[in-house]
Amino acid sequence: GRKEGRKAVLKMIVAQLQEEYGDNDMLNAPDDIDFPGADPSLMKEGVSFDYGAYEIGPYALGMPGVIIPYEKMKPYLTPEVKELLEME
């Protein structure tokens, strides 16, 4: 269902954040990280999830963001988004 889908996507976001910012001690504990307050955006490479300052760490962490490739996101995209992206 939708709840499982959200969990799976959040897991991908957190894994990507840890990969990109993990050496940085400022990143919140994985269990404390939720979806960003801002809506995701569609980029050329994938779906972009951008966090605001303080959202998942102190101000010094800046405004971290990750892009999850469309291939990974495909199972969780709505038919409308898939159509928009011309994905079959």
Side-chain angles (χ1 to χ4, degrees):
R2 203 183 141 145
K3 200 171 178 188
E4 290 77 23
R6 281 183 60 86
K7 268 191 192 152
V9 171
L10 185 59
K11 205 179 238 181
M12 285 192 276
I13 294 171
V14 171
Q16 192 72 32
L17 282 167
Q18 287 178 307
E19 197 174 300
E20 293 184 31
Y21 302 93
D23 296 339
N24 191 323
D25 295 336
M26 295 186 280
L27 191 63
N28 285 356
D31 298 341
D32 294 339
I33 297 175
D34 201 355
F35 283 92
D39 288 334
S41 43
L42 304 177
M43 309 301 274
K44 206 171 112 189
E45 314 81 46
V47 182
S48 176
F49 295 90
D50 296 305
Y51 289 88
Y54 299 110
E55 217 174 343
I56 56 170
Y59 184 76
L61 186 62
M63 296 171 70
V66 295
I67 294 178
I68 308 294
Y70 288 120
E71 278 312 303
K72 286 187 181 177
M73 287 295 296
K74 199 173 178 179
Y76 312 106
L77 299 175
T78 64
E80 293 80 11
V81 172
K82 285 182 188 168
E83 196 177 312
L84 190 70
L85 298 168
E86 297 176 350
M87 290 176 104
E88 294 309 316

